[in-house]
Amino acid sequence: MSLPRIYNDNAAARRHLERLVWPDGPICPHCGVIGEATELEGESTRAGVWKCRSCEKPFSVTVGTVFERSHVPLNLWLYAMHLMTASKKGMSAHQMHRMLGVTYKTAWFMAHRIREAMADPKAGPIGGEGKFVEADETFIGGAKKNRAYAKKPPKKQHVMALVERGGKARSFHIANVTARTLRPLIVKSASRKSHLRTDEGKWYERVGEEFVSHATVNHAQDEYVRGDASTKYG
Ligand SMILES: [Zn+2]
């Protein structure tokens, strides 16, 4: 079975997104006018850029979406969202890394952005009795060449994500990766009746003791090394 074109062709993916987001014609994000824009063409123009005839500013369909400022082709974003919503058990960044052919770090970032977009911000703590919560932290940004829209070089930022197996997630921008910064966020956002799964960072050791169980995963081996060695990550 071959994949639908929107999952392997960037232009088809963009057209698909434009039809979904703009059923009544392109909406200018600057002045709000609907159906009054012209698609820019020509060799020097990036595909998918429209110019508003009212305020004369350029825009594309990804402005204000989770895909904005991403170097990942739109077709891969759509495929990732399809995989994450179609899979009942949820999909780990490792599975996405393998299926999309992007780096693990990119897959982690994509999964994080997609879950964030789908999350209910007013919901209570994630996890609970018999549930597994995975904590992970990473750097985001920093490399200007990765940014299609870069106006000024983005600052590198730490982000921590807490992900309940099967879906729910919380994520935070953090000033630094220390036990003192992470602990209050973790205990506020995840029920301590959960099983906590983290990477091998020493900042998780103390807070891990507050949970029903705590085991660490070695990303290189894709496997938990303590407590629950038979459990695959994801
Ligand atoms: Zn406009």
Side-chain angles (χ1 to χ4, degrees):
M1 195 184 76
S2 67
L3 275 179
R5 274 192 73 206
I6 59 166
Y7 298 140
N8 56 35
D9 180 314
N10 194 35
R14 197 179 54 251
R15 289 281 170 243
H16 177 72
L17 197 63
E18 287 175 350
R19 278 193 297 271
L20 281 178
V21 178
W22 296 335
D24 303 313
I27 303 168
C28 173
H30 308 291
C31 71
V33 156
I34 300 172
E36 292 286 334
T38 311
E39 188 166 13
L40 298 179
E41 284 169 32
E43 302 252 318
S44 61
T45 313
R46 203 162 36 81
V49 177
W50 297 69
K51 188 180 178 187
C52 179
R53 291 198 293 273
S54 177
C55 72
E56 307 207 318
K57 287 180 184 156
F59 61 91
S60 76
V61 72
T62 59
V63 172
T65 72
V66 296
F67 321 114
E68 191 177 9
R69 295 193 188 88
S70 171
H71 66 286
V72 176
L74 265 182
N75 55 300
L76 289 187
W77 275 109
L78 295 188
Y79 191 34
M81 294 182 84
H82 167 73
L83 290 173
M84 285 180 70
T85 49
S87 160
K88 277 198 186 117
K89 290 180 174 174
M91 175 134 318
S92 73
H94 270 284
Q95 285 170 290
M96 277 177 52
H97 151 61
R98 286 189 290 260
M99 293 188 73
L100 300 181
V102 298
T103 64
Y104 171 74
K105 198 171 162 180
T106 296
W108 190 97
F109 173 71
M110 293 173 78
H112 162 73
R113 290 288 290 271
I114 292 168
R115 287 196 192 98
E116 198 173 56
M118 298 192 301
D120 176 359
K122 278 180 258 154
I126 62 172
E129 222 174 305
K131 303 234 169 95
F132 288 79
V133 173
E134 287 159 17
D136 204 354
E137 82 287 329
T138 193
F139 276 114
I140 284 179
K144 196 180 179 188
K145 66 178 169 58
N146 289 343
R147 301 292 179 115
Y149 290 74
K151 289 186 181 99
K152 52 187 173 186
K155 231 173 92 186
K156 257 198 170 185
Q157 286 184 305
H158 281 295
V159 172
M160 183 188 63
L162 293 169
V163 181
E164 180 186 311
R165 280 196 201 158
K168 284 188 264 175
R170 300 286 180 273
S171 59
F172 315 90
H173 289 275
I174 49 177
N176 49 49
V177 182
T178 62
R180 184 179 290 212
T181 301
L182 295 181
R183 191 226 161 233
L185 293 171
I186 293 171
V187 298
K188 189 173 166 225
S189 309
S191 162
R192 275 174 273 203
K193 292 174 186 161
S194 330
H195 300 277
L196 185 67
R197 296 294 179 260
T198 68
D199 63 31
E200 291 165 306
K202 59 189 182 309
W203 37 85
Y204 292 119
E205 283 172 13
R206 291 286 290 277
V207 68
E209 290 168 11
E210 298 183 45
F211 284 75
V212 168
S213 79
H214 176 215
T216 57
V217 60
N218 179 334
H219 284 316
Q221 292 176 0
D222 197 11
E223 201 171 82
Y224 286 102
V225 294
R226 177 152 46 87
D228 190 8
S230 63
T231 307
K232 286 282 181 189
Y233 185 57

